[in-house]
């Protein structure tokens, strides 16, 4: 909601020091996670992580960014959690099937969501 996708990805990498583990935590592929971090690095113009296969470490700039942002990230996460509770604990489901479109699956997913009033 308030927290950008790329910021969530950066925090997950900083805390897991592994693309695979961070991607798992975020329900992404390591490739998608790596792409998101590259976008963040492109936006900032600063290299934030050192890549070595699936293992990563933070650069000096990445370490500073993580340490500076973490308190604010946790506050924003807390606000998001409270708003979710106020919203009535509705669940959002996002489904992506590697760029493929299948109307049969889409129809079944929409039917499933309509039958359950707490899913968007």
């Amino acid at each position: 909601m308030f927290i950008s996708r790329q910021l969530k990805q950066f925090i997950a990498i900083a805390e897991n020091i592994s693309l695979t583990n961070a991607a798992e935590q975020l329900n992404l592929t390591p490739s998608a996670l790596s792409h998101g971090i590259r976008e963040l690095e492109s936006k900032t113009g600063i290299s934030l992580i050192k890549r070595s296969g699936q293992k990563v470490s933070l650069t000096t700039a990445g370490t500073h960014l993580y340490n500076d942002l973490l308190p604010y990230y946790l506050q924003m996460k807390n606000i998001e959690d409270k708003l979710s509770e106020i919203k009535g604990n509705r669940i959002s489901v996002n489904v992506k099937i590697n760029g493929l479109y299948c109307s049969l699956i889409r129809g079944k997913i929409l039917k499933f969501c309509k039958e359950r009033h707490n899913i968007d």
Side-chain angles (χ1 to χ4, degrees):
M1 185 185 306
F2 293 126
I3 306 171
S4 77
R5 170 184 55 89
Q6 292 157 343
L7 181 56
K8 288 179 183 179
Q9 291 172 347
F10 172 72
I11 296 291
I13 286 176
E15 292 179 345
N16 286 284
I17 309 298
S18 160
L19 281 176
T20 303
N21 293 343
E24 233 174 72
Q25 177 185 330
L26 298 170
N27 296 315
L28 297 171
T29 64
S31 175
L33 179 58
S34 184
H35 180 71
I37 292 302
R38 279 192 206 104
E39 286 178 11
L40 181 61
E41 290 175 324
S42 177
K43 284 180 182 178
T44 61
I46 300 169
S47 178
L48 300 170
I49 64 171
K50 297 175 197 170
R51 294 158 179 87
S52 175
Q54 291 299 311
K55 295 192 178 199
V56 294
S57 61
L58 296 179
T59 63
T60 301
T63 300
H64 287 295
L65 180 63
Y66 175 75
N67 290 332
D68 290 345
L69 284 177
L70 187 61
Y72 302 106
Y73 173 82
L74 294 173
Q75 287 177 338
M76 290 169 54
K77 180 89 174 88
N78 187 36
I79 292 168
E80 280 188 352
D81 292 345
K82 285 180 183 178
L83 287 174
S84 290
E85 289 175 20
I86 292 169
K87 188 178 173 185
N89 294 322
R90 294 188 65 79
I91 301 168
S92 293
V93 177
N94 295 316
V95 178
K96 183 176 180 183
I97 308 172
N98 294 332
L100 298 175
Y101 175 77
C102 180
S103 59
L104 178 62
I105 292 172
R106 182 180 182 274
K108 288 183 179 188
I109 291 170
L110 290 173
K111 181 181 176 198
F112 176 84
C113 291
K114 284 180 184 177
E115 291 170 354
R116 288 153 185 86
H117 299 291
N118 68 330
I119 299 178
D120 292 329

